[in-house]
Amino acid sequence: MIKGFFNVPPAKNEPVVDYAPGTPEREALQKKYKELYNGNIEVPMYIGGEEVVTGDTHELTPPHDHKHVIGKYHRGNKEHVQKAVDSALAAKSKWEKMSWEQRVSIFLKAADLISGPYRAEMNAATMLAQSKNAYQSEIDAVAEIIDFLRFNADYMTQLYREQPYSPKDTWNRMEFRPLEGFVFAITPFNFTAIAGNLPSAPAMAGNTVVWKPADSQIYSAQLIMRIFKEAGLPDGVINLIYVDGPDAGDVVFDHEDFAGLHFTGSTKVFKHLWKTIGSNIDKYKSYPRIVGETGGKDFIVAHPSAESKTQAIATAIIRGAFEFQGQKCSAASRCYFPSNLWPQLKEELLNDMKTLKMGSPDDFSNFVNAVIDRPAFDKISGYIDKAKESKDAEIIAGGNYDDSKGYFIEPTVILTTDPHFVTMEEEIFGPVVTIYVYDEKEKWSDVLKMVDETSPYALTGAVFSQDRYAIQEATEALTHSAGNFYINDKPTGSVVGQQPFGGARGSGTNDKAGAKLNMLRWMSARSIKENFVPVNDYRYPFLGQ
């Protein structure tokens, strides 16, 4: 069952290309970006072996240049959702019977295609459609998606290697079946890697999938699908549809063969889907697996002992809060700094802020690009306006925004005197960070209690300190405050295989994408015992006289 495959080397993280000036990789990426920018693709849905066009087309435009059209996609309806479900179920028997080594091989080939011939196109598509700079795209649309595919394959080998003990005359073994039914994957706009992982992880485990990406991520999602197909993914294993959420939910969650939800998105939507699944529980053949990663209100807290780390803290704020315009569920959004550190930290932070450039990602000198769309622009600018109008807050950097060409919002730093000011508590999902300065004489335990109790989320967080006792106290006090906890580092940038990602409370089910834990969620284990020498007498020795 497992012979031969263990000769494959364990997964290693994909090297990240830096795209420094003068490198051939930089030139190739710039060329591909221009090619896609000047193109005009037509994107079908992928249902079974069919590329489905509906005539109901919608424009695809870059967030940083929203009047420029780079393509159009065909939108579906409930009928197409039903066809996708039927296609997934039709493909299921043959796919789940395929040996797991053969399934894994397809996704390992996809990883190599992304690493090699598709590297520039994957990056350019994400830069263009999601307005990521070259580095943010490289670590997402290339390195991370490759890592997901390769590490998940490695986790499959580990699972099958870990077989139960077999005593004399018996062979005990464990097999990992797919779930009974189909899996529904709902993916967000902000990470191309998540869009690739959420449907592929269940598929690698033998499930068939209906995949609905965010509308603003369709451009790069269709490229992932094309690569999977080129790698040999059979028809119907993953079905890619572009439909309204309610249309998808009405069909998927009402189906008796619904077996699992793999979700990344808002907390509000996830709670609604959970309620829907719960209300329909009597319809299903089995209890559906629900795996979700949702929002975050992620923190940086510094101890008074961190006087030598003020420049590191400033760097953590800028990278943690403003990379990809703060549109990461892990982005630093609320900060707690002691009064003894604040004067020096403020000076270093504001000096660095003055050097940040904002604009289109095709200019590689731009650190900040556009936010994803009009609703995001309006929401984020609304929070900035609240800070401008409040007596409890002041904007000490940024605060401007302009949507005339693209959805541009300056990286904004808010200083508040209220630790429960609205921007300290509510998820903004944009380039806005709020700082509260506490009295350096305040008890460290009280500061940590405030950090713990301020937000309903518990995704990521970071502590800076030179005092090991303070670090230990923070680690214990914030046990349930962050599923990914960082010591003397920014709270973003988890790497597959190194920091399995996920949080609890309002941030999700903490099933750790990029870990063996997540792969187990898409499997239903079966224990098999084979007795080589069957017993022929029911009597036990204790029955003797």
Side-chain angles (χ1 to χ4, degrees), residues 399-453:
N400 298 311
Y401 45 85
D402 186 345
D403 62 350
S404 57
K405 180 176 176 62
Y407 301 114
F408 290 104
I409 297 179
E410 281 186 340
T412 299
V413 180
I414 299 170
L415 181 64
T416 183
T417 56
D418 179 6
H420 296 288
F421 185 65
V422 62
T423 60
M424 290 291 284
E425 294 190 334
E426 295 182 12
E427 185 182 36
I428 301 173
F429 219 66
V432 179
V433 65
T434 305
I435 294 171
Y436 172 73
V437 178
Y438 67 88
D439 190 327
E440 64 189 274
K441 297 178 182 178
E442 188 170 349
K443 286 185 178 180
W444 182 231
S445 58
D446 291 340
V447 174
L448 297 176
K449 187 174 186 290
M450 177 171 56
V451 173
D452 177 59
E453 295 180 351

Side-chain angles (χ1 to χ4, degrees), residues 104-266:
V104 160
S105 295
I106 293 169
F107 295 104
L108 289 175
K109 181 176 180 179
D112 283 353
L113 288 172
I114 296 169
S115 177
Y118 281 98
R119 192 181 207 106
E121 188 170 355
M122 282 290 288
N123 268 324
T126 298
M127 292 169 65
L128 192 60
Q130 290 136 274
S131 201
K132 288 197 174 188
N133 63 39
Y135 181 75
Q136 288 296 301
S137 180
E138 169 71 15
I139 60 176
D140 164 28
V142 173
E144 187 170 43
I145 193 171
I146 291 170
D147 287 349
F148 274 132
L149 296 172
R150 290 178 177 164
F151 275 88
N152 285 346
D154 193 5
Y155 298 143
M156 292 284 287
T157 69
Q158 292 178 36
L159 288 167
Y160 272 97
R161 186 185 295 126
E162 295 169 4
Q163 292 295 314
Y165 167 70
S166 295
K168 181 182 178 182
D169 299 334
T170 301
W171 182 17
N172 296 318
R173 51 196 186 271
M174 184 83 79
E175 70 175 18
F176 295 94
R177 306 165 296 176
L179 307 181
E180 190 175 8
F182 68 94
V183 171
F184 186 34
I186 301 178
T187 62
F189 78 86
N190 58 338
F191 281 93
T192 301
I194 296 175
N197 182 54
L198 266 57
S200 67
M204 195 180 293
N207 299 282
T208 52
V209 182
V210 175
W211 171 23
K212 179 188 133 37
D215 290 350
S216 46
Q217 200 266 326
I218 287 172
Y219 190 92
S220 48
Q222 58 84 27
L223 178 56
I224 295 170
M225 190 67 188
R226 283 165 38 208
I227 292 171
F228 284 167
K229 289 177 71 68
E230 184 173 333
L233 186 71
D235 295 338
V237 172
I238 296 177
N239 302 273
L240 177 59
I241 57 173
Y242 322 126
V243 297
D244 289 332
D247 283 350
D250 287 348
V251 175
V252 167
F253 300 125
D254 195 49
H255 201 290
E256 65 175 357
D257 289 305
F258 169 65
L261 172 66
H262 207 185
F263 176 91
T264 295
S266 78

Side-chain angles (χ1 to χ4, degrees), residues 19-30:
Y19 298 102
T23 60
E25 294 87 0
R26 183 184 177 107
E27 294 176 3
L29 179 53
Q30 290 173 323

Side-chain angles (χ1 to χ4, degrees), residues 302-315 338 340-342 344-345 348 464-467 488:
H303 185 261
S305 67
E307 291 177 312
S308 65
K309 300 183 183 296
T310 53
Q311 185 58 56
I313 297 171
T315 300
N340 66 311
L341 265 60
W342 179 236
Q344 182 67 25
L345 173 56
E348 291 167 343
F464 280 82
S465 176
Q466 192 65 25
D467 182 333
N488 293 325

Side-chain angles (χ1 to χ4, degrees), residues 255-289:
H255 201 290
E256 65 175 357
D257 289 305
F258 169 65
L261 172 66
H262 207 185
F263 176 91
T264 295
S266 78
T267 301
K268 181 179 179 181
V269 171
F270 188 55
K271 287 182 177 180
H272 170 72
L273 299 182
W274 195 301
K275 288 180 181 178
T276 302
I277 294 167
S279 66
N280 291 336
I281 196 68
D282 291 332
K283 297 180 180 181
Y284 306 135
K285 290 180 179 177
S286 58
Y287 297 106
R289 304 286 175 88

